[in-house]
Amino acid sequence: MKSMILSRVDVSGYHTLYLVADNKEYYLFRQAYRRGVADYYRNGATIDDAINYSKAKFDTSVMHTMSKLLSHIRYVEKEFDIIVLDRTRRMSERKIKKNCA
């Protein structure tokens, strides 16, 4: 299953964004409500689509959220020892190859 970013809106008017990887939800961050962000992440977005600026259609609130996502995903990867991003996967493969040689 592909990892996804999911947004839930609570009654106080905030988005809470989660990373869904391996059927587990990881809390990323919470931010003020923006309609564009709600529309983009409501049904979930794959990691590739979640940080792809060309799909934001020049919506500044979505672009701002995308810029925050990358750093929070990296933090979750380190904290819970999971691999979500392709860059992290390549780095870990490189370390394995280096240790085997």
Side-chain angles (χ1 to χ4, degrees):
M1 179 181 161
K2 277 269 202 185
S3 300
M4 300 191 70
I5 301 296
L6 181 67
S7 171
R8 293 196 185 116
V9 180
D10 58 14
V11 293
S12 60
Y14 284 92
H15 293 283
T16 306
L17 281 98
Y18 296 94
L19 168 67
V20 180
D22 299 328
N23 294 325
K24 292 183 182 177
E25 283 188 3
Y26 301 96
Y27 171 81
L28 293 175
F29 59 91
R30 186 174 180 218
Q31 69 179 20
Y33 178 83
R34 296 282 185 248
R35 189 178 73 204
V37 175
D39 293 341
Y40 194 80
Y41 294 106
R42 178 179 296 131
N43 297 325
T46 62
I47 294 293
D48 297 332
D49 290 341
I51 56 177
N52 187 350
Y53 286 97
S54 65
K55 298 208 177 196
K57 298 180 183 173
F58 299 105
D59 186 341
T60 55
S61 60
V62 175
M63 292 170 69
H64 181 71
T65 302
M66 287 178 176
S67 66
K68 290 171 34 175
L69 274 173
L70 195 56
S71 62
H72 285 83
I73 291 171
R74 286 184 184 147
Y75 174 77
V76 168
E77 283 182 326
K78 287 181 183 179
E79 188 69 25
F80 296 101
D81 196 31
I82 60 173
I83 296 176
V84 176
L85 298 171
D86 290 334
R87 181 177 180 203
T88 309
R89 184 172 288 113
R90 287 192 307 264
M91 295 284 279
S92 66
E93 288 172 0
R94 189 177 307 164
K95 286 180 183 177
I96 292 171
K97 285 181 183 178
K98 192 175 187 179
N99 290 337
C100 291

